[in-house]
Amino acid sequence: MGFSLKCIECHSTESEQAYTCSKCKGLLEVLYDKEAFSSYELAQKPGIWKYSKLFPCGGIAITLHEGNTPLYHINNLFSGMGIHVKFEGLNPTGSFKDRGMAVGMSKAIEFGFKKVVCASTGNTSASMAAYAAKAGVMPFVYVPKGKIALPKLAQALVYGAKIVQTEGTFDDALRKVFGSTKPDTYILNSINPYRPEGQKTLAFELSEQLEESGGVDTVVVPVGNAANISAIWKGFKEYKQLGLVKKLPRMIGVQAAGANPVYKAFLSGKFEPVANPDTIASAIRIGNPVSHVKAIAAAKESKGFITQVSDAELLNALAALAKHEGVFCEPASATTVAAVARMVQNNEIAKDDNVVCVLTGNGLKDPETAAKAATH
Ligand code: F0G
């Protein structure tokens, strides 16, 4: 596992424990050397660790058996089409965050940290707290007061996290984390360059799950702090480099209309934060996403795009998916199905395209909003 941490802007190499580039503050990414690719093979391990030959980890693996989630063909809602959902809500803490957290926590332990911290709209904190419990280190989480779904807060508490409720938005909470974290504590927000390495495994799984039906054509991902879409894109590019897939899918990012800075930047070419993000999908109620540059690059490179949906559209999609397909996801995840429903209506999806909506979180994460969706 030869790798280096490189700045995506100025391409300089950073030290292993850096979060951003020390020269230009750019985002970092893990790049593997040629040997890692030439010696690639699947490992006899559960979940994401099957792909651990393309992880930046030494011998340590903190795991709760994350990954290996089901792919459902959504043929009641969209008959005669190749539309699927990848149900990440079946991960150990109920969201896709577990893939990246397993790798991030393994690095924290490898580096010798005894304390870990994150800011969160709920899922990252629940996931980090669980993996910290497994690893035997102390989790600290910063959440915007009154703005995260109660079950997520309960998860973080029961896994033993110390919770700091901050005034303002998620963006304010994240600023606090970066402003006040001491060097003895490892930051596990998605700006951490190792977390996306776990999250990219979703691309590997999808490639295998759709291999026999022609491969993946389109992947639709909710965009909040904007890390996951580029992590998944990185996975597809690595699988292509390995010769394990022939084609690359287009990546479509979906934002909530009230928290849409990445959508606006995609259209205008200029990023401006949204000061007071507002959407019922609390997981992606983010005005100043740290990884926006990576997200826009993933959409552009893959010939995809970033779009937005209203709260009414996402609530309808959440309810329809549950009622007609038996799949219950959280509001942020339903943005993907809402976007696809609109594209189907506008004849923007070919009948034989394999489209995958990434359902990032479980519906039980936010039952209050689900009840609203059911009676909407
Ligand atoms: N879907 C869910 C359910 C999420 O919890 C998040 C992010 C996203 C989508 C967006 O992913 O940030 O990589 O673009 N939740 C973070 C958290 C911010 O703190 O749990 P992204």
Side-chain angles (χ1 to χ4, degrees), residues 96-97 120-124 222-228 283-284 286 330 332 360:
F96 76 100
K97 303 286 181 185
S120 182
T121 55
N123 283 326
T124 300
V223 173
N225 216 16
N228 198 31
I284 52 171
I286 296 175
E330 72 165 277
T360 44

Side-chain angles (χ1 to χ4, degrees), residues 122-174:
N123 283 326
T124 300
S125 55
S127 183
M128 190 189 79
Y131 285 83
K134 186 71 185 167
V137 296
M138 189 63 217
F140 295 86
V141 309
Y142 288 61
V143 294
K145 194 173 174 182
K147 291 193 172 131
I148 79 167
L150 185 60
K152 299 176 184 177
L153 192 63
Q155 281 184 290
L157 278 169
V158 81
Y159 291 132
K162 282 233 160 33
I163 311 236
V164 183
Q165 302 211 50
T166 56
E167 296 301 329
T169 63
F170 163 82
D171 307 292
D172 298 317
L174 189 58

Side-chain angles (χ1 to χ4, degrees), residues 67-295:
N68 196 19
T69 54
L71 183 74
Y72 301 123
H73 187 201
I74 300 305
N75 53 355
N76 292 330
L77 272 185
F78 305 108
S79 71
M81 304 197 69
I83 297 172
H84 304 76
V85 294
K86 176 84 168 150
F87 194 25
E88 289 292 284
L90 295 183
N91 273 299
T93 76
S95 84
F96 76 100
K97 303 286 181 185
D98 296 341
R99 292 179 186 270
M101 202 52 78
V103 173
M105 193 64 72
S106 300
K107 291 304 286 185
I109 303 308
E110 193 184 307
F111 294 146
F113 285 95
K114 301 270 185 290
K115 296 180 202 164
V116 290
V117 67
C118 70
S120 182
T121 55
N123 283 326
T124 300
S125 55
S127 183
M128 190 189 79
Y131 285 83
K134 186 71 185 167
V137 296
M138 189 63 217
F140 295 86
V141 309
Y142 288 61
V143 294
K145 194 173 174 182
K147 291 193 172 131
I148 79 167
L150 185 60
K152 299 176 184 177
L153 192 63
Q155 281 184 290
L157 278 169
V158 81
Y159 291 132
K162 282 233 160 33
I163 311 236
V164 183
Q165 302 211 50
T166 56
E167 296 301 329
T169 63
F170 163 82
D171 307 292
D172 298 317
L174 189 58
R175 246 194 311 277
K176 280 230 159 69
V177 165
F178 278 100
S180 60
T181 298
K182 301 210 172 77
D184 68 345
T185 307
Y186 197 45
I187 300 176
L188 278 170
N189 274 100
S190 58
I191 199 166
N192 180 301
Y194 300 111
R195 282 214 14 228
E197 292 307 294
Q199 288 172 210
K200 75 183 179 187
T201 57
L202 189 130
F204 303 160
E205 289 179 15
L206 283 182
S207 301
E208 287 170 15
Q209 286 169 315
L210 286 170
E211 189 180 6
E212 280 168 19
S213 41
V216 190
D217 296 297
T218 302
V219 183
V220 192
V221 191
V223 173
N225 216 16
N228 198 31
I229 185 171
S230 66
I232 297 171
W233 176 235
K234 185 174 191 280
F236 281 112
K237 286 192 292 185
E238 288 180 358
Y239 248 35
K240 177 109 188 309
Q241 199 173 335
L242 282 162
L244 295 172
V245 289
K246 291 191 192 73
K247 63 183 180 191
L248 289 170
R250 64 177 171 160
M251 303 295 301
I252 298 177
V254 192
Q255 294 220 281
N260 62 355
V262 185
Y263 166 69
K264 287 198 290 194
F266 183 81
L267 292 185
S268 70
K270 188 168 178 286
F271 177 80
E272 272 177 52
V274 169
N276 295 303
D278 181 23
T279 165
I280 199 158
S282 58
I284 52 171
R285 194 187 288 143
I286 296 175
N288 192 10
V290 292
S291 297
H292 63 90
V293 175
K294 280 188 179 177

